[in-house]
Amino acid sequence: DQQVKQNSPSLSVQEGRISILNCDYTNSMFDYFLWYKKYPAEGPTFLISISSIKDKNEDGRFTVFLNKSAKHLSLHIVPSQPGDSAVYFCAASAPTGNQFYFGTGTSLTVIP
Amino acid sequence: NAGVMQNPRHLVRRRGQEARLRCSPMKGHSHVYWYRQLPEEGLKFMVYLQKENIIDESGMPKERFSAEFPKEGPSILRIQQVVRGDSAAYFCASSPRQGMGEKLFFGSGTQLSVL
């Protein structure tokens, strides 16, 4: 049972434009969400997070939006840069749980 | 300040052999998580440990897999009698504590290949 879903396996964007990566979840108990970035042959690295008490969190070029009623979050990268090309995973956790649930990832390619 | 260290980076085993994957968490981190990534899939939780205790092993296969995090030394993920389906990337992550607002710091992973 995939509780966190990333329905787009890949995304291509021109350099300088906006990248929008989407994530849906099914468990209404999730209250903390994170985005990780992963390069080939490396471990995932933390990018940005948001708690359920907020609907937006911004860090430089990266903004995460949370729509609790739709159980949907998105990561916006603007402007996109070639170095942003990587696989992006969203993850979620519940207050009573011991684990983070990860999506299957979206491979972003930023075209120079 | 060293990050999460995993070794080996690559491990090749023949069917029926044992695989031992090691993970040293970041300094000051006492919580360790193991995740597995199968080809074309996301990261699947396996086990969560604190020093000398297994807190949640709900993601571990019932047989052949075990994990430990001793008082001294790295966390070990052990796979006995490996099969081809065990071929995957195994990632270890650590955090200083568990709870809202905490994030996981991942190692570079061990790529296990079973021949």
Side-chain angles (χ1 to χ4, degrees):
Chain A
D1 60 336
Q2 191 71 26
Q3 298 191 49
V4 178
K5 299 176 184 178
Q6 295 176 257
N7 292 318
S8 297
S10 62
L11 175 68
S12 290
V13 171
Q14 286 289 135
E15 181 179 3
R17 306 294 291 269
I18 185 171
S19 295
I20 300 176
L21 295 92
N22 293 303
C23 179
D24 298 290
Y25 60 96
T26 58
N27 189 339
S28 58
M29 296 299 294
F30 288 153
D31 65 349
Y32 183 54
F33 305 88
L34 310 90
W35 283 93
Y36 280 82
K37 176 179 178 180
K38 184 182 181 303
Y39 292 117
E42 294 184 15
T45 55
F46 171 76
L47 200 56
I48 192 169
S49 64
I50 188 167
S51 71
S52 59
I53 61 173
K54 302 174 77 173
D55 55 18
K56 176 182 174 181
N57 189 26
E58 193 171 351
D59 184 1
R61 297 185 297 114
F62 302 91
T63 303
V64 55
F65 295 92
L66 176 62
N67 183 333
K68 290 184 290 293
S69 61
K71 295 192 180 69
H72 176 84
L73 64 156
S74 60
L75 174 67
H76 292 211
I77 307 172
V78 57
S80 301
Q81 299 174 354
D84 296 329
S85 297
V87 177
Y88 290 78
F89 291 97
C90 67
S93 67
T96 55
N98 290 317
Q99 60 172 288
F100 289 85
Y101 294 84
F102 282 81
T104 51
T106 296
S107 178
L108 173 67
T109 301
V110 180
I111 303 164
Chain B
N1 194 11
V4 178
M5 304 300 292
Q6 287 188 252
N7 65 82
R9 288 296 305 273
H10 302 276
L11 183 61
V12 179
R13 286 288 178 265
R14 296 192 180 279
R15 282 179 296 170
Q17 292 184 319
E18 178 180 288
R20 293 173 70 90
L21 289 64
R22 288 177 291 277
C23 168
S24 296
M26 286 183 71
K27 187 175 181 181
H29 288 195
S30 59
H31 299 251
V32 166
Y33 301 76
W34 286 92
Y35 281 80
R36 174 167 66 173
Q37 185 180 22
L38 294 167
E40 308 302 322
E41 293 190 17
L43 294 158
K44 299 290 189 185
F45 169 79
M46 299 183 75
V47 62
Y48 161 47
L49 312 100
Q50 294 181 29
K51 281 286 186 182
E52 299 184 276
N53 288 302
I54 296 174
I55 306 302
D56 182 348
E57 57 181 348
S58 59
M60 289 277 270
K62 293 289 183 284
E63 297 177 347
R64 302 187 297 108
F65 285 71
S66 62
E68 62 177 9
F69 188 17
K71 186 177 180 181
E72 301 290 339
S75 175
I76 304 288
L77 179 67
R78 182 182 178 204
I79 311 172
Q80 295 177 289
Q81 299 174 329
V82 296
V83 300
R84 289 224 173 98
D86 297 332
S87 296
Y90 291 81
F91 291 97
C92 169
S94 72
S95 69
R97 65 190 70 82
Q98 193 239 358
M100 167 72 87
E102 288 306 318
K103 57 181 180 282
L104 301 181
F105 295 82
F106 281 87
S108 297
T110 294
Q111 181 66 50
L112 174 64
S113 299
V114 180
L115 305 180

